Amino acid sequence: MNISSAIVYAKSEHEPALRAQLLQVTGVEVHASTDDGKMIITIESESDRTAVNTYEAIERMEGVLSVAMIFQQTESHPDQELLKCK
């Protein structure tokens, strides 16, 4: 599981439509936005590759100026660990 947060910088006139579009992306939640087009989002995905694909899809959305990752964490799956912790 990959969890990350980001700030999406967008043209302010595109914010309402972009917010709606972001909410259609699997694993994306919009937590806050400002009048000047900044949106705080989180992305939950199954893998690092899926997270990268999501970031790239957001960057290509109409009205997006840039996306800045703020935090990223990968949660391990205990059944996939090589050795159990003692």
Side-chain angles (χ1 to χ4, degrees), residues 60-72:
R60 290 189 299 270
M61 290 180 180
E62 185 175 349
V64 172
L65 301 172
S66 67
V67 181
M69 184 183 350
I70 304 302
F71 174 81
Q72 185 274 332

Side-chain angles (χ1 to χ4, degrees), residues 32-49:
S33 62
T34 63
D35 291 338
D36 61 351
K38 295 178 191 143
M39 288 179 263
I40 298 171
I41 66 168
T42 54
I43 299 171
E44 292 185 17
S45 60
E46 289 299 316
S47 68
D48 292 344
R49 181 74 250 165

Side-chain angles (χ1 to χ4, degrees), residues 15-43:
E15 191 274 332
L18 183 57
R19 174 187 277 271
Q21 194 174 2
L22 287 168
L23 293 173
Q24 297 301 312
V25 178
T26 301
V28 174
E29 291 184 40
V30 178
H31 297 278
S33 62
T34 63
D35 291 338
D36 61 351
K38 295 178 191 143
M39 288 179 263
I40 298 171
I41 66 168
T42 54
I43 299 171

